Amino acid sequence: GWYVHRARATTRAWHAPAAAGVLGLTAALGLGGLTLAAAGAAGPGRMAVVGGDAVLVGAVAGGLALAGALLVVLPADPHVRAAVARTSRAGVARLRNRPAPAAADD
């Protein structure tokens, strides 16, 4: 996340989350592949299956890497902050211009 924030120049608000997604996918595929390569038989009988589940390790590692990257990249990116500010200002303006709800007839 820190590398993505410091080394990558963004020009649009979606660039930062996309870079974080690529980072999470790379971590998932890399660690899942390494776990798959490390798993296998260590002998007969009960030692026929040894090692972690590659899909589970990849999913957890990728999810954690994605979450960490998003926690660093999103608040620090000026384009994302500007897009969030624009959206929140537009939402507040829309709420202020909304007519009052009608009273229910009982």
Side-chain angles (χ1 to χ4, degrees):
W2 192 251
Y3 170 76
V4 171
H5 164 64
R6 300 291 279 174
R8 308 302 311 160
T10 59
T11 56
R12 303 258 190 247
W14 62 268
H15 287 174
V22 169
L23 188 139
L25 181 65
T26 303
L29 292 176
L31 290 174
L34 288 173
T35 303
L36 184 64
R46 290 184 284 174
M47 299 296 285
V49 179
V50 176
D53 182 14
V55 174
L56 180 63
V57 170
V60 169
L64 290 173
L66 175 64
L70 288 174
L71 283 174
V72 172
V73 170
L74 291 183
D77 189 69
H79 299 290
V80 173
R81 285 195 318 255
V84 169
R86 277 192 310 272
T87 304
S88 63
R89 280 194 298 268
V92 167
R94 198 172 355 172
L95 287 174
R96 286 183 179 165
N97 294 333
R98 181 180 295 177
D105 293 332
D106 287 331

